[in-house]
Amino acid sequence: MGDPRKFDPTFKGPIYNRGCTDILCCILFILALMGYFAVGILAWSQGDPRKVLYPTDSKGQFCGQVGSPLEKKPLLFYFNILKCASPLVLLEFQCPTTQICVERCPDKFMTLVKALRKEDDREYYKQFCKEGVDMTKVITRRCLPALETLKGGVVVVDNKTTFTDDLGQNINATDLLEASKKSNVVVEARAVAMRIFEDYTQSWHWILLGLVIAMLVSLMFILLLRCLAGVRVWVMIIMVVIVIGYGIFHCYMQYASLKGQAGSDVTIKDLGLQTDFSVYLQIQQTWLAFMIILCIVEVVIILLLIFLRKRLLIAIALIKEASKAIGHVMSSLFYPLLTFALLSLVIAYWGITAVFLSTSNEPVYKVFNTTECMYSRDTCNPETFNSSNITTECPDAECLFAFYGGETLYHKYLILFQFYNLFLFFWCANFVTALGQVTLAGAFASYYWAFKKPDDIPAFPVFNSLGRALRYHTGSLAFGSLILAIVQVIRVILEYLDQKLKGAQNKCAKFLLSCLKCCFWCLEKFIKFLNRNAYIMVAIYGKNFCTSAKDAFFLLMRNIIRVAVLDKVTDFLLFLGKLLIVGIVGICSFFFFTGKIKIVEDAAPSLNYYWVPILTVVFGAYLIAHGFFSVYAMCVDTLFLCFLEDLERNDGTADRPYFMPERLLSILKKSNEGVKTVD
């Protein structure tokens, strides 16, 4: 797999005299960014996020929009909600009945026939223009029937199972329930979202405190690894096993405490989808599932530790050296803040552009009618509809707002703009990640190839490495990021096709699609691994991406056994470190937000779902720990490649001494003849 590295007496670490690499890809990336900004400007000029925030009446007007004539009418009222049971609701996202904005929903059960009997009822009914529906309640700014379900599953409205409409027909409350469900398929999701939002407003300061604690624990963990790497690794392994063991014990206790309680034997399948997720914690099957998952994780970790016990010493030595390198290059610990800021900017730009693109359509009106009509569902203009021949041929036809679309050139290619937005998001996100990897690799390579550490380490290694990456290797970073972005977009397309084919009966197509998804998943993982090592070579030698990827791949293949033993074992140990930090922060947040810590019981906020801040803290703690440990992992990978090259370049003689520390030399049973390295 290629020729081993030759001894070069002039090589002292990352090359300073280098030239620009992959210039064509750099130009392409700049042009793509200019196009990305153009798409964003176009979307911002055409889009209207109000379409997401406010319900829309039959004329396409926004209910409750500040500064509009409907400012004091924030709620949407359906004239005949029974029409919302039509399949067209799901196809066109609009109920085929007249809808108006109202100041408040009706609070009386009333039909047109009933309203005409009394003058007071008639006056009350006028504010809703035409025929009323029934007693209603407010959900997601829509007026929907206030239905109730009695024992035995009987659905009632106004304590009645049926009611009479203005045509004298008896309507079953069950039909009203089905119409209500289809009138707004996101009602339950929005209700849950509102409760989650309320929980965030009550607990956001405690969540921030939990994330700060996670950051401090991560930083302390990294600093302690420098002094007590060997001890900390073994303590970390034992504590991970203990933390998971406690999780198994807690799940068993919850499972045992629910035994014999009424309703606890209900299965998750029978329970179905519930908006109140605390219901799932009241059944035994949930805790049994948690306990089984944790048991599997515990057994896997223990087995891996048993089979890899002889390799842990080598991995610990590499981690010790990485701890020492980070100690001499402390600024590397703060570099993830720059990566986080840039990724946040990329995600925010993509999200805002996506919203503006999705809301840049124009209102489309269609013909709706109850009888047969040749113009049914045709596009119409509400301003000229009454004077058209459609009303003559179809007297009951109405021109109602259907959905947002458009027939202009911009609207025809809107899907391509969305695709371009997604593709550039992947490209830019991968570029930011690549920039961080090259910067850290250059800094840690400067440490390794300094013969007398820390005297020979150049000043400001992180800053200098970042400058070299941006000045000379923007094209190489864009090249590697482009390859990865293409694979990721293909995976997104395959997931989209998989969702579309879920209802299909063609098993061959499903099998082929599953194989393609698996292959591209493996390809993405391989490209990430190859890119990471290629960026290390770019940072050291300043060559283009393809040459660096080839050199890194051949170097790893020439040392495939060491790659499997050292690199992957250290990755596993670092993963255990992240798992430990997340476990500690997660357990503490669980006891706090559930009010089980007596000292701070009164300080715990009252929440709809206590798992909302817990999961947020756990997820945030993982991201924080991953940010710190990503520096550690990049340090280990860089030192590992430098270590392999050191073995090929040098032989330990006075003319060709090893640059590795004494610790690694002793493990490999090698030494520098007549030369003392600094450890």
Side-chain angles (χ1 to χ4, degrees):
M1 289 291 181
D3 297 327
R5 289 287 183 182
K6 304 294 184 181
F7 173 70
D8 183 2
T10 63
F11 181 74
K12 301 296 182 182
I15 305 298
Y16 283 89
N17 296 324
R18 56 179 71 193
C20 296
T21 56
D22 298 303
I23 299 176
L24 289 179
C25 198
C26 178
I27 296 173
L28 178 63
F29 184 59
I30 294 174
L31 293 176
L33 286 179
M34 293 174 62
Y36 198 19
F37 294 142
V39 169
I41 294 172
L42 184 62
W44 295 341
S45 64
Q46 299 290 329
D48 191 351
R50 295 178 302 171
K51 298 171 185 177
V52 179
L53 301 175
Y54 300 97
T56 312
D57 66 6
S58 296
K59 296 182 179 180
Q61 302 177 99
F62 302 114
C63 300
Q65 170 62 32
V66 178
S68 70
L70 301 177
E71 179 179 354
K72 296 183 178 179
K73 296 182 177 181
L75 306 173
L76 186 66
F77 178 74
Y78 299 93
F79 272 26
N80 187 357
I81 201 169
L82 292 175
K83 292 185 179 181
C84 297
S86 168
L88 290 172
V89 176
L90 301 179
L91 294 176
E92 299 180 344
F93 304 102
Q94 188 74 3
C95 186
T97 183
T98 303
Q99 301 161 49
I100 62 169
C101 300
V102 296
E103 186 174 352
R104 60 188 178 91
C105 292
D107 54 10
K108 297 180 181 179
F109 177 77
M110 188 180 300
T111 61
L112 179 61
V113 175
K114 183 179 179 181
L116 293 175
R117 294 175 182 172
K118 295 182 180 181
E119 184 175 352
D120 293 342
D121 292 341
R122 188 163 54 251
E123 291 298 321
Y124 174 82
Y125 199 86
K126 284 182 180 179
Q127 61 182 315
F128 305 107
C129 294
K130 296 182 181 179
E131 54 191 79
V133 182
D134 52 287
M135 184 173 58
T136 57
K137 60 182 178 180
V138 179
I139 303 179
T140 66
R141 295 191 178 187
R142 268 85 171 168
C143 297
L144 299 177
L147 298 163
E148 297 181 14
T149 303
L150 304 179
K151 292 183 178 180
V154 179
V155 181
V156 297
V157 56
D158 195 30
N159 293 325
K160 299 177 182 178
T161 57
T162 61
F163 65 93
T164 305
D165 64 5
D166 57 316
L167 299 178
Q169 298 177 345
N170 286 331
I171 305 298
N172 197 308
T174 304
D175 297 332
L176 201 61
L177 175 62
E178 294 300 319
S180 299
K181 288 181 178 179
K182 293 185 178 180
S183 66
N184 194 342
V185 294
V186 296
V187 164
E188 291 296 333
R190 287 199 176 187
V192 172
M194 288 302 296
R195 296 192 190 104
I196 292 176
F197 179 76
E198 292 174 2
D199 289 343
Y200 277 125
T201 59
Q202 294 292 326
S203 60
W204 65 269
H205 48 290
W206 294 109
I207 292 174
L208 288 180
L209 179 60
L211 296 180
V212 171
I213 293 174
M215 183 179 66
L216 294 177
V217 172
S218 300
L219 182 59
M220 182 177 63
F221 196 90
I222 293 293
L223 294 177
L224 287 176
L225 273 177
R226 182 187 178 189
C227 305
L228 304 169
V231 176
R232 294 291 297 175
V233 168
W234 287 111
V235 171
M236 174 182 65
I237 293 171
I238 294 172
M239 288 191 68
V240 166
V241 174
I242 292 175
V243 167
I244 297 177
Y246 172 79
I248 295 172
F249 172 75
H250 180 78
C251 292
Y252 173 76
M253 294 302 295
Q254 292 291 332
Y255 175 81
S257 65
L258 291 173
K259 190 174 183 180
Q261 292 188 13
S264 63
D265 56 345
V266 178
T267 64
I268 297 177
K269 182 179 180 180
D270 294 336
L271 193 61
L273 178 63
Q274 300 291 327
T275 57
D276 185 4
F277 293 99
S278 62
V279 175
Y280 295 105
L281 301 179
Q282 306 302 319
I283 60 177
Q284 286 184 296
Q285 193 179 68
T286 301
W287 294 106
L288 179 62
F290 288 159
M291 186 170 61
I292 292 174
I293 293 172
L294 290 177
C295 285
I296 294 173
V297 174
E298 184 87 325
V299 170
V300 169
I301 291 176
I302 292 175
L303 290 176
L304 287 175
L305 291 174
I306 292 173
F307 287 107
L308 297 175
R309 65 188 185 278
K310 294 182 179 179
R311 313 299 180 186
L312 289 178
L313 291 176
I314 302 176
I316 289 172
L318 199 56
I319 289 178
K320 284 182 178 180
E321 189 61 23
S323 301
K324 195 173 181 181
I326 292 176
H328 289 300
V329 191
M330 286 296 294
S331 57
S332 61
L333 286 176
F334 301 99
Y335 186 84
L337 296 177
L338 176 60
T339 300
F340 177 78
L342 293 176
L343 283 177
S344 299
L345 182 63
V346 170
I347 293 172
Y349 185 86
W350 165 77
I352 294 173
T353 304
V355 169
F356 274 87
L357 283 174
S358 61
T359 58
S360 59
N361 291 312
E362 298 175 350
V364 175
Y365 300 86
K366 289 193 173 185
V367 177
F368 290 96
N369 61 293
T370 55
T371 60
E372 292 186 5
C373 177
M374 62 181 296
Y375 300 104
S376 179
R377 306 302 181 261
D378 286 355
T379 304
C380 60
N381 187 342
E383 297 180 359
T384 60
F385 181 75
N386 292 331
S387 60
S388 64
N389 59 350
I390 299 178
T391 54
T392 305
E393 299 184 21
C394 307
D396 64 333
E398 295 179 279
C399 184
L400 303 178
F401 169 76
F403 54 87
Y404 283 98
E407 298 180 356
T408 64
L409 189 65
Y410 168 76
H411 294 103
K412 288 181 179 179
Y413 292 100
L414 193 59
I415 185 65
L416 294 180
F417 291 145
Q418 285 282 23
F419 178 81
Y420 186 76
N421 182 37
L422 178 65
F423 177 72
L424 262 293
F425 164 71
F426 283 127
W427 196 356
C428 292
N430 291 328
F431 180 85
V432 171
T433 303
L435 178 62
Q437 292 174 345
V438 168
T439 300
L440 294 175
F444 294 129
S446 299
Y447 165 83
Y448 186 92
W449 295 110
F451 189 75
K452 294 182 179 180
K453 304 175 179 65
D455 297 337
D456 293 344
I457 300 176
F460 310 111
V462 174
F463 182 79
N464 290 334
S465 181
L466 176 62
R468 290 195 300 269
L470 291 175
R471 181 179 178 182
Y472 298 110
H473 306 302
T474 300
S476 297
L477 302 182
F479 191 8
S481 304
L482 175 62
I483 297 173
L484 187 57
I486 292 173
V487 175
Q488 290 172 334
V489 167
I490 292 175
R491 287 194 63 200
V492 170
I493 294 174
L494 291 176
E495 289 292 342
Y496 174 77
L497 293 176
D498 187 33
Q499 293 295 324
K500 288 294 184 181
L501 292 175
K502 273 191 174 180
Q505 301 298 324
N506 192 332
K507 294 183 179 180
C508 181
K510 289 183 179 180
F511 175 76
L512 180 60
L513 189 60
S514 298
C515 292
L516 287 174
K517 287 171 60 179
C518 180
C519 291
F520 276 95
W521 180 85
C522 295
L523 180 60
E524 181 182 355
K525 295 299 179 183
F526 175 75
I527 290 177
K528 284 183 177 180
F529 172 77
L530 187 61
N531 282 6
R532 186 182 183 90
N533 291 282
Y535 295 145
I536 296 174
M537 289 299 189
V538 169
I540 297 175
Y541 296 104
K543 297 181 180 179
N544 61 53
F545 177 81
C546 292
T547 302
S548 300
K550 181 193 70 174
D551 292 343
F553 180 74
F554 286 165
L555 178 62
L556 293 173
M557 289 299 101
R558 291 196 298 269
N559 299 271
I560 189 63
I561 303 299
R562 288 194 176 102
V563 171
V565 173
L566 296 177
D567 193 46
K568 296 310 164 188
V569 172
T570 52
D571 287 346
F572 174 66
L573 292 177
L574 293 178
F575 170 74
L576 290 184
K578 289 187 281 188
L579 198 63
L580 175 61
I581 293 172
V582 171
I584 292 174
V585 176
I587 289 175
C588 293
S589 62
F590 172 79
F591 280 108
F592 174 77
F593 287 111
T594 54
K596 296 189 177 186
I597 303 178
K598 299 298 181 182
I599 301 177
V600 292
E601 184 177 2
D602 296 334
S606 178
L607 304 170
N608 296 304
Y609 308 124
Y610 68 81
W611 52 264
V612 170
I614 294 175
L615 289 182
T616 305
V617 170
V618 167
F619 182 70
Y622 178 80
L623 291 180
I624 291 172
H626 179 73
F628 280 99
F629 278 89
S630 65
V631 176
Y632 222 96
M634 198 65 205
C635 182
V636 170
D637 290 345
T638 303
L639 296 182
F640 181 58
L641 278 187
C642 294
F643 163 74
L644 297 179
E645 286 216 352
D646 194 8
L647 290 176
E648 291 187 351
R649 284 180 176 274
N650 306 305
D651 57 7
T653 61
D655 295 331
R656 299 170 57 184
Y658 291 114
F659 283 76
M660 70 184 72
E662 292 287 350
R663 188 182 300 111
L664 287 176
L665 284 173
S666 61
I667 291 175
L668 296 172
K669 297 181 180 180
K670 295 180 181 291
S671 63
N672 283 329
E673 299 176 6
V675 180
K676 181 175 178 58
T677 58
V678 179
D679 199 348

